[in-house]
């Protein structure tokens, strides 16, 4: 693997004149990525399910960096109507987009469904971002120079399997199995998008990343939703003992979004013990995530379920 041995967000190149969309920008990894992009001079569009929490986060960043350029807009990845409305608003409001950071997600929650009837983890983590990427691809392609789509996955993708017979986990639901499937889907999508962009000779690069174990509220939402005080205490203890900070957890995303040496189809993660913490580096994902037949089938199913058209050629 190759890496910048001690890369941190302090090494972020100047982002003046660049525009970035970060999903889930009001907390955790999304907040820290937004903060770093803004500090480096980018205009960041904070795509948040709760605009109230988004505005609070924006105010915190502006208080720290008074010159920060930030726009908060509603995006609920659990509702395709909201995703389409965000994409329509953005393309009408702005003429450029340099980085789309598909970051937001949910993890290991009790089974529920999105507004469109999808199992929530698959719907939010994967399908919502598929629809968002399709909606913003036109402006990404029109923007001068190289632009990037960075999709946040997880080391949990290694446990994932795409069950085309039960994608929504209706027959049998395991919260971690559903989460792992959604994170594998993130990688399959990122790599198939890269292949199709290359086939179209587009100047857009698709890259994937994972944060390692970053201590954020993400780990706490499952136990909270399940009403399990014991699991909540255990997760808080694990965050404190094992997890790195959310600021460090955002480094792979920032590296993937801005490092000039990154190629499409790469996978960036922390290079420390068990790839759970440390400075970002290029890594190898699971062989399953590189299965082109599965990726092509998932691409077709995902586009059909979300009703989107990427207008990109099939690389096959």
């Amino acid at each position: 693997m190759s890496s910048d041995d001690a890369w941190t967000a302090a090494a972020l190149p100047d982002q003046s004149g660049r525009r970035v969309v970060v999903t889930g920008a009001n907390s955790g990894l999304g907040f820290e990525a937004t903060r770093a992009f803004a500090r480096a001079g980018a205009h960041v569009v904070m795509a948040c399910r709760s605009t109230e929490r988004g505005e609070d986060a924006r105010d915190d960043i502006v208080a720290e960096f008074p010159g920060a350029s930030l726009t908060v807009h509603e995006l609920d990845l659990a509702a395709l109507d909201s995703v389409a409305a965000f994409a329509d608003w953005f393309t009408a409001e702005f003429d450029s987009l340099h980085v789309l950071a598909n970051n937001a997600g949910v993890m290991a929650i009790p089974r529920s469904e999105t507004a469109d009837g999808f199992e929530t983890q698959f719907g939010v983590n994967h399908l919502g971002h598929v629809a968002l990427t399709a909606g913003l691809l036109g402006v990404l392609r029109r923007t001068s120079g190289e632009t990037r789509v960075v999709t946040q996955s997880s080391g949990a993708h290694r446990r994932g399997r795409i069950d085309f017979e039960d994608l929504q986990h209706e027959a049998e639901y395991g919260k971690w199995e559903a989460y792992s499937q959604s994170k594998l889907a993130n990688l399959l999508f990122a790599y198939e998008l890269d292949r199709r962009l290359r086939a179209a000779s587009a100047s857009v690069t698709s890259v994937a990343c994972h944060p390692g174990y970053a201590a954020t509220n993400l780990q706490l939402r499952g136990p909270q939703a399940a009403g399990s005080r014991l699991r909540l205490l255990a997760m808080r203890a694990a965050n404190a003992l094992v997890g790195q900070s959310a600021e460090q957890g955002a480094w792979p995303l920032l590296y993937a979004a801005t490092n000039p040496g990154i190629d499409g189809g790469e996978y960036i993660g922390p290079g420390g013990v068990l790839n759970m913490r440390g400075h970002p580096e290029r890594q190898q994902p699971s062989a399953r995530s590189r299965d082109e037949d599965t990726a092509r089938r998932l691409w077709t199913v995902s586009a059909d379920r979300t009703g989107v058209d990427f207008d990109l050629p099939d690389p096959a």
Side-chain angles (χ1 to χ4, degrees), residues 45-112:
V45 177
M46 304 172 66
C48 305
R49 184 170 61 87
S50 166
T51 55
E52 181 179 357
R53 288 196 292 270
E55 288 161 1
D56 288 344
R58 178 192 60 196
D59 292 346
D60 288 344
I61 295 172
V62 171
E64 186 177 6
F65 307 113
S69 178
L70 301 163
T71 299
V72 177
H73 199 82
E74 181 179 2
L75 171 65
D76 184 355
L77 290 162
L80 292 178
D81 284 349
S82 176
V83 176
F86 178 92
D88 289 346
W89 164 80
F90 185 94
T91 54
E93 189 76 13
F94 303 111
D95 60 1
S96 66
L97 175 59
H98 299 86
V99 176
L100 169 59
N102 289 328
N103 164 76
V106 291
M107 183 178 77
I109 59 174
R111 192 183 189 284
S112 60

Side-chain angles (χ1 to χ4, degrees), residues 138-307:
V139 68
L140 281 160
R141 295 185 70 175
R142 290 194 300 272
T143 301
S144 178
E146 185 209 13
T147 60
R148 294 186 188 179
V149 178
V150 182
T151 299
Q152 184 85 268
S153 183
S154 163
H157 86 272
R158 298 182 185 280
R159 295 178 52 194
R161 293 180 181 274
I162 304 298
D163 183 358
F164 287 106
E165 303 308 312
D166 190 24
L167 277 175
Q168 310 304 328
H169 285 260
E170 294 170 303
E172 184 177 359
Y173 182 75
K175 59 183 181 292
W176 285 108
E177 288 76 12
Y179 177 70
S180 298
Q181 175 183 249
S182 74
K183 294 289 101 179
L184 175 59
N186 288 152
L187 289 186
L188 288 163
F189 169 68
Y191 300 146
E192 183 66 10
L193 177 62
D194 174 65
R195 287 186 286 270
R196 290 173 183 255
L197 289 167
R198 289 175 187 266
S201 299
S203 59
V204 186
T205 298
S206 175
V207 188
C209 64
H210 77 96
Y213 191 135
T216 71
N217 288 332
L218 183 68
Q219 291 94 345
L220 308 182
R221 289 174 187 155
Q224 288 168 340
S228 173
R229 180 173 174 79
L230 182 61
R231 284 180 50 221
L232 181 62
L233 291 173
M235 197 59 81
R236 282 178 172 158
N239 279 4
L241 294 172
V242 180
Q244 62 182 346
S245 68
E247 181 180 4
Q248 292 173 308
W251 290 351
L253 186 155
L254 294 165
Y255 185 91
T258 65
N259 190 282
I262 293 294
D263 291 326
E266 292 198 293
Y267 182 55
I268 308 299
V273 177
L274 300 177
N275 301 137
M276 296 181 70
R277 58 192 304 143
H279 300 284
E281 66 172 17
R282 292 166 176 83
Q283 296 179 348
Q284 290 296 332
S286 70
R288 202 174 288 132
S289 73
R290 295 294 194 185
D291 186 317
E292 295 187 18
D293 290 336
T294 300
R296 190 176 302 112
R297 184 179 177 187
L298 181 64
W299 178 278
T300 301
V301 169
S302 300
D304 180 65
R305 298 285 175 91
T306 57

